[in-house]
Amino acid sequence: MDLQVLRSFQAVAEGLTVTEAAAEARITQPALSRALHRLEEEVGAELLQRVGRVLRPTPAGRVFKEYVDAALDSYDRGRRAVAEVVDPDTGLVSLAFLHTLGTWLVPGLVTGFREEYPGARFELHQHGESGLVQHLLDATADLMITSGDPGHPLITWRRLLVEPLWLAVPTGHRLARHRRVRLAEVADEPFILLKPGYGLRSVTEELCREAGFAPRVAFEGEEVQTLRGLVAAGLGVSLIPSSPDTAATPRFPIRYLEITDVHGARDIGIAWLTGRALPQATRRFIDHALRASANAPDGRW
């Protein structure tokens, strides 16, 4: 069974047309159609069926694809492992990270690592918390950097830093002249929050509970930049992670206030599947991230 045929089957089952999959494989469309037909004969079942102008996996095809995904992933990991034995300094680090960390933490870690290992390559994925865990479980990433320990029995997590959370209010807000406030002071105001399932949403709700109230939700977004934009527009207040770019600008006329009645912060850490044998470059990156965090107690590097 040809690995390229399996890759083409995988691509078609995931939504590519046969013509597109054939172009990726650098063969003709009729040749790929014949190869997929031979694959079905080998497996002993119809794997793909036409729905309109495209092919979709049959029930048998969906079951078979799970094993194809696992086989191809294992093969690709084997090739990576061999390549790193031959030249460990040019290994690939497959990293998924929380979208809010893409403006400061991840670039700093990647830059520092590549200064030590210039030949290292990165495969990056950006997502919310739930999507990051799935990247590890699906083996589409070896590592993730996220907020809080996911608490999954198959995942090992190590803290890198504690990131402060600030109360973001519009510059014209009644509290904007203050530096420090109690979170309870905005108990009656509308909150701009991330959607349920995001770690920052859970942290915000927990901090509000500690302050004695449940946040009144005005809007639910999918990224922190959206929260900032709607706070700047005067539609509510929000708890925003601290990072080097959290400062008032003409585009984001916001004041960031320290909260004093609850501990406004979240843990940021690095995680991997406990039982997976990690490539050498990946293990080196874990060590690099942990050293960087130990040498930067204020969470900045």
Side-chain angles (χ1 to χ4, degrees):
M1 193 174 291
D2 190 334
L3 282 177
Q4 184 55 60
V5 175
L6 292 180
R7 293 192 191 280
S8 295
F9 164 75
Q10 183 186 57
V12 172
E14 290 175 351
L16 284 190
T17 66
V18 174
T19 301
E20 292 168 335
E24 282 195 354
R26 298 184 179 180
I27 60 176
T28 66
Q29 183 269 329
L32 179 55
S33 294
R34 290 193 296 271
L36 292 173
H37 181 65
R38 288 195 299 272
L39 177 63
E40 290 179 322
E41 290 181 338
E42 290 184 41
V43 174
E46 183 185 27
L47 302 175
L48 299 164
Q49 62 185 2
R50 186 163 295 281
V51 179
R53 301 180 62 183
V54 298
L55 294 177
R56 292 287 183 260
T58 63
R62 288 194 290 272
V63 170
F64 184 62
K65 182 178 179 297
E66 293 179 12
Y67 291 89
V68 169
D69 290 345
L72 292 177
D73 177 68
S74 181
Y75 174 77
D76 291 338
R77 288 181 181 278
R79 290 188 59 186
R80 282 176 52 191
V82 170
E84 291 194 7
V85 168
V86 175
D87 187 358
D89 291 338
T90 61
L92 176 70
V93 178
S94 180
L95 173 67
F97 59 91
L98 188 63
H99 54 79
T100 56
L101 306 177
T103 60
W104 65 283
L105 177 59
V106 172
L109 287 174
V110 169
T111 298
F113 187 74
R114 295 192 69 186
E115 288 174 355
E116 190 172 356
Y117 301 104
R121 295 170 293 121
F122 281 84
E123 178 183 83
L124 300 176
H125 310 269
Q126 191 176 32
H127 221 292
E129 281 88 349
S130 60
L132 293 180
V133 169
Q134 203 58 45
H135 271 301
L136 287 190
L137 298 178
D138 290 345
T140 53
D142 290 330
L143 297 174
M144 71 173 181
I145 298 179
T146 189
S147 65
D149 186 342
H152 195 286
L154 299 179
I155 294 175
T156 297
W157 182 89
R158 293 288 182 269
R159 181 183 288 107
L160 294 177
L161 59 98
V162 177
E163 183 181 35
L165 298 176
W166 300 77
L167 179 66
V169 302
T171 52
H173 191 273
R174 60 185 174 83
L175 298 174
R177 294 180 179 273
H178 296 248
R179 269 192 327 109
R180 307 167 77 236
V181 297
R182 293 181 301 111
L183 186 59
E185 293 183 65
V186 292
D188 296 328
E189 302 205 18
F191 269 74
I192 312 296
L193 301 175
L194 292 181
K195 291 181 177 180
Y198 286 82
L200 183 58
R201 170 65 175 262
S202 301
V203 171
T204 298
E205 290 177 331
E206 177 59 30
L207 290 175
C208 289
R209 276 194 294 271
E210 290 180 20
F213 69 96
R216 182 161 60 91
V217 181
F219 181 83
E220 297 176 326
E222 296 184 349
E223 54 183 26
V224 171
Q225 282 294 86
T226 299
L227 307 190
R228 294 177 63 192
L230 295 181
V231 169
L235 299 183
V237 300
S238 187
L239 287 177
I240 300 290
S242 171
S243 63
D245 62 353
T246 49
T249 66
R251 185 181 176 192
F252 293 106
I254 298 173
R255 285 276 294 159
Y256 297 94
L257 313 177
E258 181 183 352
I259 52 179
T260 59
D261 53 343
V262 293
H263 181 56
R266 63 175 182 173
D267 290 332
I268 302 297
I270 190 166
W272 58 92
L273 282 186
T274 304
R276 178 177 296 167
L278 297 174
Q280 184 171 351
T282 302
R283 297 196 303 270
R284 285 175 171 175
F285 185 81
I286 293 172
D287 292 341
H288 166 73
L290 293 173
R291 284 197 311 272
S293 66
N295 294 331
D298 62 349
R300 296 288 181 266
W301 60 81

